[in-house]
Amino acid sequence: MLKKLRDKFNAVEDKNDAQMPLAMKNYILLACGAVVIILGMVLMCGGGSESAEEFNYAMFSWRRITLAPILIVGGFAFEIYALLKKF
């Protein structure tokens, strides 16, 4: 499956002017990075309690404290790579 996706990505032809700073492949990579950032934000959502008197420990889950920030920072790093990569 990964090979099939890689072949489709390599087959993308850029119909823009060669003088443009970003190619079509850059925009595809930017969209993938944005999806990763949005996924991290969604994983960080929730965790509140129904009333102000009770404390909910679900807000300190591994998903919210560790996984979501790693995805967000990784997504931003991938966005920088996608902007600087020259095709």
Side-chain angles (χ1 to χ4, degrees):
M1 182 177 149
L2 188 60
K3 184 180 180 339
K4 191 176 188 182
L5 189 62
R6 186 180 300 135
D7 290 340
K8 280 186 180 182
F9 179 75
N10 289 331
V12 170
E13 298 269 336
D14 193 14
K15 296 178 180 144
N16 292 333
D17 185 18
Q19 299 294 330
M20 295 294 287
L22 296 177
M24 182 63 74
K25 290 181 180 181
N26 293 100
Y27 291 118
I28 293 171
L29 293 177
L30 283 169
C32 292
V35 167
V36 171
I37 292 170
I38 291 169
L39 178 66
M41 294 290 186
V42 167
L43 288 176
M44 202 179 292
C45 288
S49 59
E50 284 79 32
S51 68
E53 288 82 33
E54 71 179 65
F55 186 76
N56 190 356
Y57 284 99
M59 70 164 54
F60 296 114
S61 68
W62 180 84
R63 177 182 59 128
R64 290 190 180 102
I65 298 295
T66 306
L67 180 63
I70 288 172
L71 282 176
I72 292 170
V73 171
F76 279 119
F78 191 76
E79 291 280 330
I80 292 170
Y81 169 77
L83 285 172
L84 296 179
K85 176 72 175 159
K86 184 71 176 167
F87 287 103

